[in-house]
Amino acid sequence: MVQKYQSPVRVYKHPFELVMAAYERRFPTCHLIPMFVASDVISEEKSDDNSTHKIERRCKLDVDAPRLLKRIAGVDYVYFIQKNSLNRRERTLHIESHNETFSNRVIIHELCCYSVRCSLRIYRSSHYLFYQAHRQKRMLKRLLMLSSQIPKDQHILRFLRARDFNMDKAREILCQSLTWRKQHQVDYLLDTWTSPQVLHDYYTGGWHHHDRDGRPLYILRLGQMDTKGLVRALGEESLLRHVLSINEEGLRRCEENTKVFGRPISCWTCLVDLEGLNMRHLWRPGVKALLRIIEVVEANYPETLGRLLILRAPRVFPVLWTLVSPFIDENTRKKFLIYAGNDYQGPGGLVDYIDKEIIPDFLGGECMCEVPEGGLVPKSLYRTPEELENDDIRLWTETIYQSASVFKGAPHELLIEIIDASSVITWDFDVCKGDVVFNIYHSKRAPQPPKKDPLAAHGITSPGGNNVQLIDKSWQLGQDYSMVESPLTCKEGESVQGSHVTRWPGFYILQWKFHSMPACATTNLPRVDDVLATLQVSSHKCKVMYYTEVLGSEDFSSAEHTLGLGVGSLPGEPNSDPEGPESSTVG
């Protein structure tokens, strides 16, 4: 995908020679531009009469991004290669730069031309320096936005705490969670999810003020909840979706309370009342649903529970605790406070964590609590197992993204038929596991019907994703089909967006192929990395999550005209404009 950005022409009334002298003072660094950390000369060339001066530098720029994100991404600085060509006779300066950092994913090609025209000397020295800093800062932000998903500092910190600040482990679970949120559109859950009326009437949970530390307080009257009735009436996925919306609301309330109390609040307190808990709550499908909810919440909302107060625990509680405790992280279990009978009313009880004025009335307080009292769900609302299964599948697959497994020797391929030339194929995919090579091919004839899961016959299945192969083994590259884009190697955890403008009608095949490490050319001995890879059970399997869309030639031409996008050049190909000081392509 090529995007062109054009800055307006700026005219300044200062001598060109003065501006050049000021410009050179920014190297190797300049205190007026804090983001410009350092620069090293790669090559330099001057003419005999000193009229022309060409110099190439490697510039080190400070990244305008959260510190925690930079540590997880492994990027403290961004490097650009800048080539300057100064012609003192013609009084012109041509600047060409491109990014070195993230160059395997995003290409930024920037061209600037400064000259003297119409007896007006272009530039003002001090303004020029700040203009350059502002311009490069904009480019850096654009680069970071295109290169990775940028969560908030608080979100990153939760995952770091959950893994005791082990960077590798925190990065792994954070990338998995971001992929999960993207696939299931969790960021939009509060705007799109509407709770069924059954939940409004019989789900005995709700938000209730805050605790003494300013944390949002959520109350769950689990003992009064008809878990069997809710599962039979709604299904497992609807309950999970509702619990996720509660967690998203909790994150939003934490941000609000941070502003109200003037200090960071990143977690909430949960009060669980077990009055009424009995063997009915140990119904196997209900426990199964509970365990799955705990698993999903633990994986994607770590360190969001500040404290869990369990009140009026009955004799049956140890049985339930034995079932669920293995699925709860050890750090989370340390936050549990369990009170039997009326122990919560004495010293060390509720009043130590919640102001007396907001203790709910059903716990002996004076504050009216709007949490529903629950009751038995009428059996007339129960649904058949077939209906629940279909609804669960619909909710779980309710996403624009598809997932696929990629095996060594078995790539995943997607067929797109193009009727009109100059249509645009766009893609957005995440590499969830392993490394893959992304290719795009074109064929004039349609492939045979796809072969799904070709390894299934050998006992190898692909849970969590399908595997489809379209290119017949008898096809020859260059005769039966052709490659229309250079192969792109994508690492685990990367998110890739791009597009291709089709030149011919026909059949286009998007392929995700297992990326094999190249063998060592200098020795026949296996490398350490290769040996370790063979010891891993899942070393021959990758997983991708993708979304594709085709824009018609008419629609794209209209958008191109409206947005001023240039599609006539490849990423990194110069798009010079003699009238403007800046022209950049991002691909």
Side-chain angles (χ1 to χ4, degrees), residues 38-53:
S39 61
D40 299 316
V41 176
I42 300 177
S43 63
E44 187 173 8
E45 179 183 346
K46 293 183 179 180
S47 62
D48 295 336
D49 59 358
N50 205 32
S51 61
T52 60
H53 183 195

Side-chain angles (χ1 to χ4, degrees), residues 464-489:
N466 59 347
N467 180 273
V468 178
Q469 295 182 55
L470 299 168
I471 299 177
D472 193 274
K473 293 183 178 181
S474 63
W475 281 19
Q476 294 186 6
L477 184 63
Q479 296 183 8
D480 301 289
Y481 67 108
S482 60
M483 182 180 293
V484 297
E485 289 278 2
S486 300
L488 177 64
T489 301

Side-chain angles (χ1 to χ4, degrees), residues 331-344:
N331 292 333
T332 303
R333 291 201 300 267
K334 294 177 181 178
K335 303 173 184 178
F336 285 32
L337 298 174
I338 303 174
Y339 300 90
N342 295 324
D343 293 346
Y344 69 92

